Amino acid sequence: MKDFLSSNIRIGIVKYLEEIGISDPTEIQAKTIPVLLKHSGDFVGRSATGTGKTFAFGIPLLSRIDSSAGKIQAVVLVPTRELCEQVGKELIALGNYIADLKIEAIYGGVPLKSQIQNLSNGVHVMVATPGRLMDLIQRKVVNLSTLNFMVFDEADEMLSMGFIEDIEAILNETPTNRQTALFSATLP
């Protein structure tokens, strides 16, 4: 991929990228975006910190979301509250020009009631930490049976932080035909 216009990226995303002055993809973006726009199987992406991994998975993910459908279609799982806030903000900005697209960042340390209220208004993409997502699943606030895409950002970090049981429980709540993508700066 030479530039963002040369693929099937939603025009609203291209508009946002132009607005912030990004015209050329980074290496991870050039290699990842064309594959994830068309590919339905699982995927692993590895690239150093600061190389644009969030856009590498976020651009094709948001390009494939059906914002007219009132259901959760994608979850981006991250290990920490800080990363959840960061990825959530980046995806919300990236999807700014996609009509009716709803993205929520869900993490601990903030009142659960306000997050439940935000989710009750409908959401297409959820960025979440494993613990908070498990809490919402157990409370039957979140149903992942309609999920098409599961992204693990800093996948190896989540495992080293001891989230394996939560991750397995979350995956058990999702359809087996979903696409799973793992991204990391330090994945061996």
Side-chain angles (χ1 to χ4, degrees):
M1 182 175 88
K2 294 180 183 178
D3 58 43
F4 293 108
L5 290 171
S6 66
S7 61
N8 294 328
I9 297 170
R10 276 187 153 160
I11 195 67
I13 294 172
V14 174
K15 180 179 178 180
Y16 172 73
L17 294 171
E18 288 173 350
E19 194 175 272
I20 62 171
I22 296 177
S23 57
D24 298 321
T26 65
E27 182 180 5
I28 185 72
Q29 293 164 356
K31 290 179 177 179
T32 301
I33 292 170
V35 174
L36 289 180
L37 281 170
K38 297 176 185 173
H39 183 61
S40 61
D42 296 338
F43 186 87
V44 176
R46 183 178 66 186
S47 186
T49 300
T51 56
K53 285 187 297 299
T54 302
F55 280 10
F57 65 75
I59 289 171
L61 177 71
L62 297 184
S63 292
R64 294 178 71 181
I65 295 294
D66 178 1
S67 58
S68 68
K71 59 184 181 176
I72 298 174
Q73 298 166 51
V75 168
V76 179
L77 209 60
V78 297
T80 65
R81 171 187 179 164
E82 294 76 22
L83 187 57
C84 190
E85 290 174 319
Q86 176 189 332
V87 171
K89 285 178 186 174
E90 286 185 45
L91 292 182
I92 289 167
L94 197 56
N96 189 45
Y97 294 111
I98 300 174
D100 302 320
L101 180 66
K102 295 179 183 173
I103 301 169
E104 286 293 331
I106 305 297
Y107 48 86
V110 297
L112 187 60
K113 187 176 182 178
S114 64
Q115 290 181 342
I116 291 172
Q117 177 63 39
N118 291 343
L119 292 172
S120 70
N121 294 327
V123 62
H124 301 103
V125 179
M126 182 185 306
V127 183
T129 55
R132 182 52 60 105
L133 182 54
M134 273 306 304
D135 188 14
L136 293 169
I137 290 169
Q138 290 167 347
R139 293 172 185 264
K140 302 204 182 304
V141 173
V142 171
N143 179 343
L144 300 181
S145 66
T146 59
L147 204 70
N148 298 320
F149 309 101
M150 185 80 193
V151 177
F152 293 92
D153 192 12
E154 300 302 340
D156 54 326
E157 287 296 315
M158 279 188 278
L159 294 177
S160 69
M161 293 171 73
F163 288 121
I164 187 68
E165 288 180 13
D166 284 346
I167 290 169
E168 288 175 347
I170 290 165
L171 288 174
N172 285 335
E173 298 292 323
T174 66
T176 57
N177 63 341
R178 72 178 180 288
Q179 180 181 46
T180 303
L182 307 177
F183 280 84
S184 177
T186 56
L187 194 67

